[in-house]
Amino acid sequence: MPSSFEHRIALVTGASRGIGRGVAKELARQGAHVIALARTQGGLEALDDEIRGFGGQATLVPCDLRDGEALDRLGLAIHERWGKLDVFVGNAGVLGPISPLSHIDPAPFEEAFAINVTANWRLLRSLDMLLRKSDAGRVVLVTSSAGHRADMPAYRGVYAATKSALETLGRTYAAEVVNVSNVRVTLASPGQTRTRMRTQLLPGEDPQSVPAPEEIAPKLLAPCAPEWPHTGVLFEAQTGAVKRFQAPA
Ligand code: NAP
């Protein structure tokens, strides 16, 4: 039986390591042509080697997500080569400073918003028409429970605020396209995963106590698939739960 990603074009940001790399590999394994974006050329090339190793296809985009004009050019390049985009996984992210809000310097605060929020908006803007050209455009924005948890912990405010903002962007875009296109938008929460970001957050944790990206990545493919019916929802990858956002009660 052909897989549902055969011949589909999928952009994955943050594909040089961690969850994004796992998702890119899994999409390619299932037949997609993956456009893999990150800054680290070596990480992208290693991914490309692995994908070619099992007969898959990838196009590498070494790029800093803070370069908005490069993201505009990427949309143009995808238009010229494929004329459409089937899947956009906005996965790249940074933790930002873990510190009391009053102690944070402006530069790292703004950098976290630039990568976690602004770049995803800029990509949605650049890719919108291409996603609408697909018969089933799928947007998966990788968020975190930090973006919507009720008990807000201290010291993680920048990361949490960027993820809340990302969720709002995704839900707004979902509302804007649902009645006029086949584009569907999901906020996907991978849950605790053994990556560099996790180690940065909790250096004392036994890495083996949380799942590897290779275990999480296949679960994140569900909202990328043409048959995924939901939009504007939260998808928790580790449980498979699909949840609707609610106003505070
Ligand atoms: P990670 O291992 O640190 O990977 C982050 C990825 O983002 C890397 O590929 C990195 O590539 C890319 N990136 C960062 N800054 C970039 C920039 N300026 N331009 C282009 N690419 C950039 O982190 P991860 O844990 O896999 O995180 C992936 C996503 O999952 C994030 O959105 C994170 O918030 C979310 N998440 C993770 C966990 C967890 O437990 N790990 C839990 C909940 C949510 P380069 O450095 O090569 O550019």
Side-chain angles (χ1 to χ4, degrees):
M1 208 171 97
S3 92
S4 58
F5 293 103
E6 208 69 54
H7 306 304
R8 300 199 75 77
I9 313 299
L11 169 65
V12 181
T13 67
S16 59
R17 63 172 187 268
I19 295 166
R21 182 190 171 120
V23 169
K25 213 162 60 176
E26 202 53 37
L27 281 164
R29 202 189 304 284
Q30 297 204 23
H33 184 118
V34 171
I35 305 165
L37 184 151
R39 285 168 305 179
T40 311
Q41 183 108 22
L44 292 177
E45 285 170 2
L47 170 72
D48 191 38
D49 287 347
E50 273 195 71
I51 289 177
R52 283 168 191 268
F54 55 71
Q57 288 185 310
T59 296
L60 307 184
V61 184
C63 172
D64 190 322
L65 283 167
R66 290 167 292 184
D67 182 351
E69 288 177 9
L71 303 184
D72 293 348
R73 288 195 298 275
L74 176 61
L76 192 60
I78 295 172
H79 169 71
E80 283 170 357
R81 182 156 171 198
W82 292 287
K84 63 152 188 175
L85 183 69
D86 299 304
V87 181
F88 164 40
V89 182
N91 160 82
V94 292
L95 197 53
I98 301 297
S99 194
L101 290 173
S102 56
H103 295 193
I104 295 168
D105 286 334
F109 182 96
E110 282 165 14
E111 181 187 88
F113 271 84
I115 297 167
N116 295 2
V117 184
T118 310
N120 282 302
W121 160 72
R122 190 84 181 225
L123 280 167
L124 285 175
R125 177 178 179 267
S126 176
L127 303 171
D128 174 54
M129 290 313 295
L130 299 165
L131 289 159
R132 292 178 194 232
K133 289 264 174 62
S134 169
D135 58 352
R138 296 291 176 263
V139 175
V140 176
L141 299 173
V142 178
T143 185
S144 159
S145 57
H148 51 265
R149 58 189 284 179
D151 57 327
M152 196 55 70
Y155 313 133
R156 300 183 191 176
V158 175
Y159 181 69
T162 64
K163 292 302 186 182
S164 299
L166 178 67
E167 291 177 0
T168 299
L169 275 185
R171 293 168 62 202
T172 303
Y173 183 60
E176 289 169 356
V177 295
V178 66
N179 292 323
V180 293
S181 76
N182 294 319
V183 179
R184 300 293 176 261
V185 185
T186 302
L187 285 312
S189 182
Q192 303 172 356
T193 311
R194 194 189 313 154
T195 65
R196 190 185 294 182
M197 181 185 286
R198 180 81 189 165
T199 308
Q200 209 184 330
L201 179 67
L202 297 168
E205 181 181 72
D206 172 10
Q208 300 306 320
S209 66
V210 294
E214 291 72 23
E215 291 171 65
I216 303 302
K219 301 176 198 284
L220 283 169
L221 260 54
C224 300
E227 52 273 15
W228 178 257
H230 310 287
T231 202
V233 295
L234 175 74
F235 172 65
E236 292 177 346
Q238 298 203 13
T239 61
V242 175
K243 297 184 175 175
R244 307 232 153 249
F245 288 86
Q246 292 180 341

